[in-house]
Amino acid sequence: MIINHRNRFIFIANRKTASTSIGIALSSTCQRKDVITPLSARDEAIRQDLGYLGPRNFIPWKNKLNYLKLRIQKKLTKKNINRQLEQIGFHTHIKPQEALQYLNRECWETYFKFCFVRNPWDRAISQYFWVIRGKKAPMDLDTFINSRSLQSAAKNSKEMYTINGKFSVDRICHYENVQEEVNQIFEELNLSGSPKLPETKRQFRSDHRHYRDILNDGQAARIASLFKHEIELAGYSY
């Protein structure tokens, strides 16, 4: 998530929609009082090399003591504390409903809020290859499409642009035109910095065929059922 107070916008980072690259590009227009949530060490190195501001202001003052305790715990135990951090402040893929506990209501209601979505059939294939990366005996595609993992992904994606089931952002952008969408936002909001999207996540997809050449009719129908709301909202078709 990015919350830019000078330019009064909020970027909500949906998964599998180039949100890491978008977040880094938006960092180029941020100032020290803005909220920038942390990325992986590799992606933070990319952001630093570009000279953009890094993570800041993602832990509310009321939770600063808890944050310091977690940092000490990590130093002593060498254990990952990402899940605990997600419970006490803003994080990259935080949902609007969760963000509102830390964000001034007036900011939410008056700032320009936007989020990206992706063709669900293409997204499902992309997520499948992400899930099975590095696995010696990965699940097959049919098992994944009928798993709770994809069902959860559809639910989480919807919750990125709704609150209590109601549409809660000002614009839904399309992943398929991501650079053009980001360019337009920079232009419309008169943002400084650079809209150019850096290359971040490595590609784990070994099969680069079009999703229609991979999915059978049953799999396509299952995905359409799970992402029905998104398909109607963004005008996607199989």
Side-chain angles (χ1 to χ4, degrees):
M1 173 174 271
I2 299 283
I3 303 175
N4 186 301
H5 295 296
R6 180 182 62 171
N7 297 292
R8 300 172 65 84
F9 74 78
I10 300 174
F11 166 58
I12 302 158
N14 199 358
R15 295 181 185 275
K16 307 304 294 180
T17 60
S19 59
T20 298
S21 295
I22 298 166
I24 291 176
L26 291 170
S27 299
S28 72
T29 194
C30 286
Q31 297 184 319
R32 296 193 177 279
K33 292 184 178 181
D34 297 330
V35 174
I36 304 175
T37 55
L39 304 170
S40 69
R42 177 180 179 273
D43 294 325
E44 286 300 345
I46 294 172
R47 178 148 56 189
Q48 184 176 16
D49 287 344
L50 289 168
Y52 301 161
L53 287 181
R56 63 198 58 242
N57 307 318
F58 57 92
I59 300 295
W61 278 107
K62 66 178 181 179
N63 288 334
K64 285 289 186 180
L65 182 58
N66 289 333
Y67 175 64
L68 292 174
K69 289 178 180 178
L70 286 173
R71 292 295 299 269
I72 293 172
Q73 174 187 322
K74 179 181 180 180
K75 186 175 182 179
L76 294 174
T77 65
K78 310 298 183 184
K79 292 183 178 179
N80 189 298
I81 60 172
N82 288 346
R83 286 192 177 277
Q84 294 97 313
L85 287 177
E86 289 180 3
Q87 303 301 315
I88 63 170
F90 296 103
H91 57 88
T92 300
H93 298 296
I94 192 170
K95 302 170 185 175
Q97 184 70 62
E98 299 168 347
L100 281 175
Q101 64 183 307
Y102 310 121
L103 183 63
N104 182 291
R105 188 81 196 195
E106 183 180 357
C107 289
W108 178 261
E109 292 176 351
T110 60
Y111 285 19
F112 175 74
K113 303 172 290 294
F114 63 99
C115 177
F116 278 75
V117 294
R118 181 175 182 173
N119 180 300
W121 296 280
D122 182 53
R123 173 180 173 147
I125 296 297
S126 176
Q127 186 166 344
Y128 169 68
F129 283 103
W130 174 259
V131 167
I132 68 170
R133 70 193 188 283
K135 300 288 178 62
K136 292 183 178 179
M139 73 175 84
D140 60 38
L141 179 59
D142 199 58
T143 299
F144 169 73
I145 289 174
N146 288 284
S147 69
R148 289 185 178 181
S149 176
L150 190 59
Q151 183 178 355
S152 177
K155 178 177 180 292
N156 289 337
S157 182
K158 182 179 178 180
E159 290 174 350
M160 286 295 177
Y161 52 83
T162 62
I163 295 178
N164 297 323
K166 295 182 179 180
F167 195 68
S168 63
V169 299
D170 298 295
R171 182 181 299 175
I172 287 288
C173 304
H174 291 74
Y175 164 84
E176 293 73 22
N177 305 314
V178 60
Q179 185 63 74
E180 291 81 358
E181 296 269 24
V182 172
N183 289 346
Q184 185 175 359
I185 287 169
F186 265 74
E187 182 178 350
E188 290 181 5
L189 300 184
N190 194 28
L191 302 181
S192 59
S194 172
K196 183 178 180 181
L197 299 175
E199 184 177 342
T200 54
K201 293 279 194 306
R202 290 176 295 167
Q203 296 298 315
F204 291 91
R205 185 167 171 172
S206 57
D207 188 338
H208 295 281
R209 290 177 296 162
H210 193 278
Y211 61 80
R212 285 197 295 267
D213 296 324
I214 299 175
L215 298 167
N216 61 41
D217 291 345
Q219 293 167 340
R222 168 66 174 167
I223 295 169
S225 175
L226 291 175
F227 288 88
K228 179 180 178 181
H229 183 269
E230 214 152 285
I231 289 169
E232 295 176 351
L233 176 68
Y236 286 117
S237 61
Y238 186 65

